[in-house]
């Protein structure tokens, strides 16, 4: 959304080539940069959701993100991320990862934030800290409440000393590294992209012949046909009210005000883009109502 300071209103902004959102399980920083672990790649624009098996590192010096690799002896991280949940907690010097599995070298895992070394605590452990109604952290001391309401503490410094090293976070992973499953998926994705592009060009040519532009707005198919533009052209020089414009755009049946406003904004953008191809100017121009500056007139400028 973009706030138009001239007209005093919010407008929907349509952007292209939007990347996937990356939502890590957690992130921590050390003297070299920021490390983001695991999480998911999510794109709300196309409902894509993929699990991140490793993570990424932001280098303070280069200001660039690069992929990392995580190695834990005897552990398939892809299997772990798919079948088990992992909890994340950060203290001053350590990251506390907890996975409730029977897999070797997993359970209470400690990451040394500065070195990236991964340790496992071999003794009996529980996971009640992550269901506590509150958590307080002082240095590497974690205070929480157990299910019976008793205050408990975990000293990650002591846990670290009693743990065994089982893995490592590897930084500076190069794109020239040996091909892996992600690279194969990427290559096939690129091939698939070009196939879709070629198919899309054919579809676009077909649509141009029909002089018809269709967009899906909030799961509702809205048709901006040449008839709609033709009807607008008959209103040349007129100032249409919001209600009159909605009637022409065929969105007057939408009862929700905010939904109708968003649809109207999208359709006006679509129509103006289409008209710019024909006349190199916008067809619909907004003008604020001088009697009530909260509302607008829509000038048809053919």
């Amino acid at each position: 959304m973009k706030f138009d300071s001239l007209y005093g209103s919010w407008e929907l902004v349509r952007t292209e080539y939007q990347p996937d959102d990356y939502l890590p399980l957690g992130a921590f920083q050390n003297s070299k940069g920021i490390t983001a672990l695991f999480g998911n790649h999510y794109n709300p624009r196309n409902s894509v959701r993929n699990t991140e098996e490793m993570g990424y590192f932001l280098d303070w010096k280069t200001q660039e993100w690069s992929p990392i690799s995580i190695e834990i002896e005897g552990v398939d991280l892809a299997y772990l991320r798919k079948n088990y949940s992992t909890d994340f907690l950060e203290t001053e010097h350590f990251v506390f990862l907890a996975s409730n599995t029977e897999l070797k070298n997993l359970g209470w895992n400690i990451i040394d934030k500065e070195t990236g070394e991964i340790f496992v605590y071999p003794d009996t452990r529980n996971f009640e800290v992550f269901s506590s109604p509150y958590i307080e952290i002082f240095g590497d001391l974690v205070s929480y409440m157990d299910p019976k309401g008793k205050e408990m503490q975990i000293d990650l410094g002591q846990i670290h000393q009693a743990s065994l090293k089982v893995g490592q976070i590897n930084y500076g992973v190069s794109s020239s590294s040996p091909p892996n499953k992600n690279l194969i998926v990427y290559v096939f994705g690129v091939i698939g992209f070009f196939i879709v592009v070629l198919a899309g060009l054919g579809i676009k040519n077909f649509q141009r012949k029909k002089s018809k532009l269709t967009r899906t707005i909030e799961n509702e198919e809205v048709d901006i046909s040449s008839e709609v533009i033709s009807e607008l052209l008959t209103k040349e020089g007129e100032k249409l009210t919001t209600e009159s414009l909605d009637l022409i755009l065929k969105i007057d049946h939408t009862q929700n005000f905010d939904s109708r406003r968003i649809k109207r904004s999208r359709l006006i953008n679509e129509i103006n883009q289409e008209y710019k191809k024909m006349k190199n100017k916008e067809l619909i121009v907004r003008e604020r109502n001088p009697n009530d500056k909260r509302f607008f007139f829509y000038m048809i400028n053919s």
Side-chain angles (χ1 to χ4, degrees):
M1 302 292 289
K2 177 184 71 175
F3 184 73
D4 190 327
S5 58
L6 178 63
Y7 295 106
S9 64
W10 287 94
E11 295 294 335
L12 181 70
V13 178
R14 299 192 62 179
T15 58
E16 298 179 347
Y17 312 115
Q18 297 188 45
D20 294 348
D21 296 334
Y22 172 50
L23 309 176
L25 172 68
F28 66 88
Q29 69 178 47
N30 57 22
S31 62
K32 301 180 181 67
I34 296 176
T35 301
L37 296 177
F38 307 133
N40 294 287
H41 297 276
Y42 177 60
N43 192 329
R45 293 159 289 276
N46 55 22
S47 300
V48 170
R49 189 182 187 92
N50 297 312
T51 299
E52 172 57 51
E53 298 174 6
M54 301 290 179
Y56 299 91
F57 175 69
L58 173 63
D59 190 296
W60 290 137
K61 293 183 179 180
T62 64
Q63 294 293 298
E64 293 180 348
W65 287 95
S66 61
I68 62 174
S69 68
I70 303 174
E71 297 178 357
I72 301 178
E73 296 175 12
V75 176
D76 181 351
L77 285 177
Y79 177 81
L80 171 68
R81 299 288 295 122
K82 182 178 180 180
N83 296 281
Y84 297 98
S85 62
T86 303
D87 292 303
F88 177 99
L89 194 63
E90 181 186 6
T91 66
E92 183 177 2
H93 300 100
F94 305 105
V95 168
F96 183 24
L97 294 178
S99 302
N100 192 8
T101 77
E102 298 299 326
L103 300 177
K104 182 182 178 182
N105 295 331
L106 289 179
W108 276 14
N109 290 99
I110 309 296
I111 300 177
D112 186 311
K113 293 165 57 173
E114 195 62 35
T115 66
E117 294 176 313
I118 303 173
F119 302 82
V120 65
Y121 182 60
D123 294 342
T124 304
R125 57 265 180 178
N126 60 64
F127 303 89
E128 58 193 24
V129 59
F130 296 100
S131 59
S132 173
Y134 80 92
I135 298 175
E136 291 182 329
I137 299 174
F138 298 95
D140 293 318
L141 186 65
V142 180
S143 299
Y144 68 97
M145 183 182 295
D146 72 4
K148 296 182 179 180
K150 181 181 178 181
E151 184 173 342
M152 306 292 291
Q153 291 183 333
I154 299 177
D155 189 332
L156 289 191
Q158 294 181 0
I159 295 296
H160 173 252
Q161 292 178 4
S163 298
L164 305 173
K165 182 179 177 181
V166 293
Q168 178 74 46
I169 297 178
N170 299 313
Y171 296 97
V173 178
S174 173
S175 59
S176 61
S177 57
N180 55 30
K181 180 175 63 177
N182 291 333
L183 180 59
I184 295 174
V185 171
Y186 172 77
V187 171
F188 277 100
V190 171
I191 296 174
F193 169 77
F194 282 108
I195 294 175
V196 171
V197 168
L198 292 176
L201 290 175
I203 294 173
K204 184 175 290 188
N205 289 334
F206 175 74
Q207 289 177 328
R208 285 176 178 172
K209 291 180 180 179
K210 294 179 65 177
S211 300
K212 192 173 183 179
L213 182 62
T214 301
R215 290 291 183 270
T216 300
I217 300 178
E218 293 184 354
N219 298 323
E220 180 178 350
E221 195 76 12
V222 178
D223 175 32
I224 306 179
S225 62
S226 57
E227 288 77 12
V228 172
I229 296 180
S230 297
E231 186 173 353
L232 287 171
L233 290 175
T234 64
K235 308 293 184 180
E236 179 182 0
E238 294 186 21
K239 290 184 178 180
L240 300 180
T241 64
T242 300
E243 293 75 14
S244 299
L245 181 62
D246 288 351
L247 186 64
I248 295 175
L249 298 178
K250 298 179 175 60
I251 60 172
D252 55 299
H253 61 282
T254 304
Q255 295 181 354
N256 183 277
F257 174 80
D258 289 331
S259 176
R260 190 165 65 250
R261 177 175 58 83
I262 292 174
K263 289 181 181 180
R264 184 188 312 115
S265 176
R266 289 186 177 183
L267 293 174
I268 289 174
N269 287 338
E270 294 289 352
I271 290 172
N272 283 338
Q273 288 178 12
E274 195 72 7
Y275 199 72
K276 278 184 176 180
K277 297 177 184 178
M278 300 162 41
K279 300 291 185 177
N280 198 30
K281 64 178 181 178
E282 295 183 343
L283 177 61
I284 305 174
V285 180
R286 292 186 310 169
E287 290 188 7
R288 190 176 292 279
N289 187 335
N291 298 321
D292 190 339
K293 296 187 179 299
R294 296 174 300 169
F295 301 99
F296 297 92
F297 287 120
Y298 297 88
M299 172 70 74
I300 306 304
N301 181 30
S302 61

